[in-house]
Amino acid sequence: MIPSREEMKQALTIRYGIKLPEKMAATRVAICGLGGLGSNIAIALARAGIGGLHLIDFDKVDLSNLNRQQYSVHQLGQYKTEALCESLKHIAPYCEVKIDTLCITKEHIPNLFKEETIICEAFDQPEAKAMLVEGVLETFPEKYLIAASGMAGIGSANSIQTKKISKHFYLCGDGVSDVSTGIGLLSSRVMVCAAHQANMVIRLIAGEIEP
Amino acid sequence: MVKINGQLLEVEGLTIAQYLESTSYKINHIAIERNGEIVPKGLYNQTILKADDVIEVVSFVGGG
């Protein structure tokens, strides 16, 4: 039996009061890339009562993703957008999830983020990260952008931070731990970074602009 | 002096492209803000660093 929308809302209001859940419910966040960062950001925000998520990724769930990404074996071969959308329905049935199964290029940016005020960069490749950050900050300087760089390996979780680079641009991560050196990405440390991004989203929604 | 990632450097008069040539940054892994505004890569060649400019070079590593 799925709880009613009112019951779900009430469960959040009991914990967080009236204001924050109302602000959360009125916000839609775009998540670019649904790997270790994006899938964890989406679930954290859905649990916190976000009103809508715009999930964007071109890829399918692969066995090599299961070490850190929030997918299950029964979802292998599915598009990540569709698989994550399905999982979110079980967690937050009234969260409005919009999906775009595409590989974001610079040309997509002006039309892709018209409805969101907060955008999370959660790509894997440094070229894609730089392209998205440059494109979003150029096209939508009024929107908030929360990007990530440096979360590979088993270095101290305490070295992962949220930094405010400029008025609307935040960067999470340790800045240096590259996936191409060392042992690659592990669920725990990627989750720390994703949690930083999700936490900054919630702080912005609550009106807190400091990292 | 120009402040780049918090460090004061004597690079005024250089273009962003010229400054980057003296560094190890990979151009397609970075995004640059000048006084809080993004500088698109197409403008690196013609953007001249001025005294008191505040530059942030954000360099991305892989993983996500």
Side-chain angles (χ1 to χ4, degrees):
Chain A
M1 183 74 179
I2 296 171
S4 69
R5 183 183 285 268
E6 195 50 43
E7 285 172 316
M8 297 286 295
K9 186 181 163 191
Q10 186 65 18
L12 292 172
T13 306
I14 287 167
R15 284 170 177 79
Y16 309 135
I18 293 168
K19 264 190 178 171
L20 183 60
E22 270 183 359
K23 287 180 179 174
M24 290 287 293
T27 307
R28 182 151 103 185
V29 175
I31 302 176
C32 306
L34 302 176
L37 293 173
S39 61
N40 278 301
I41 295 168
I43 287 174
L45 293 178
R47 291 195 189 282
I50 200 78
L53 291 170
H54 184 184
L55 308 177
I56 310 153
D57 197 298
F58 67 93
D59 216 355
K60 290 177 177 171
V61 180
D62 184 82
L63 186 55
S64 65
N65 301 148
L66 298 186
N67 69 332
R68 68 189 191 281
Q69 306 185 16
Q70 294 291 352
Y71 302 102
S72 308
V73 283
H74 81 274
Q75 295 173 322
L76 288 169
Q78 290 182 21
Y79 282 112
K80 290 181 181 179
T81 46
E82 292 170 7
L84 190 56
C85 187
E86 178 210 341
S87 303
L88 290 169
K89 290 286 169 224
H90 296 294
I91 294 169
Y94 304 105
C95 176
E96 284 178 32
V97 181
K98 178 186 177 186
I99 61 172
D100 272 309
T101 304
L102 58 84
C103 182
I104 300 178
T105 64
K106 210 170 176 207
E107 290 67 39
H108 290 121
I109 291 173
N111 290 318
L112 204 52
F113 305 116
K114 281 187 173 160
E115 293 169 58
E116 293 87 16
T117 51
I118 303 175
I119 299 161
C120 292
E121 177 282 309
F123 288 149
D124 192 44
Q125 300 295 323
E127 296 86 354
K129 289 172 177 288
M131 176 276 297
L132 187 76
V133 165
E134 191 175 295
V136 168
L137 292 176
E138 188 186 357
T139 314
F140 299 111
E142 77 287 1
K143 294 185 192 283
Y144 285 100
L145 175 64
I146 305 169
S149 178
M151 76 297 297
I154 55 165
S156 172
N158 294 341
S159 61
I160 291 178
Q161 296 187 330
T162 303
K163 289 181 182 159
K164 192 172 194 277
I165 304 294
S166 56
K167 199 176 172 197
H168 290 152
F169 175 34
Y170 298 82
L171 185 64
C172 304
D174 68 15
V176 291
S177 297
D178 196 322
V179 70
S180 60
T181 56
I183 61 171
L185 293 156
L186 282 94
S187 173
S188 48
R189 205 156 184 269
V190 177
M191 284 172 83
V192 172
C193 191
H196 268 263
Q197 291 182 275
N199 194 56
M200 196 63 233
V201 170
I202 296 169
R203 284 179 61 74
L204 288 172
I205 293 168
E208 302 286 343
I209 60 164
E210 293 308 317
Chain B
M1 300 286 258
V2 177
K3 197 181 247 185
I4 302 183
N5 291 1
Q7 262 196 314
L8 288 170
L9 298 173
E10 283 190 39
V11 292
E12 52 258 55
L14 296 184
T15 64
I16 287 179
Q18 287 167 334
Y19 161 70
L20 288 173
E21 277 170 26
S22 70
T23 70
S24 57
Y25 288 118
K26 289 180 185 166
I27 299 268
N28 58 354
H29 289 193
I30 63 172
I32 293 185
E33 286 198 325
R34 176 171 170 256
N35 304 326
E37 286 182 15
I38 198 80
V39 182
K41 288 192 176 56
L43 298 179
Y44 287 0
N45 267 319
Q46 59 201 79
T47 305
I48 296 168
L49 297 168
K50 297 190 183 79
D52 302 325
D53 271 353
V54 177
I55 305 289
E56 288 292 332
V57 183
V58 180
S59 181
F60 292 93
V61 297

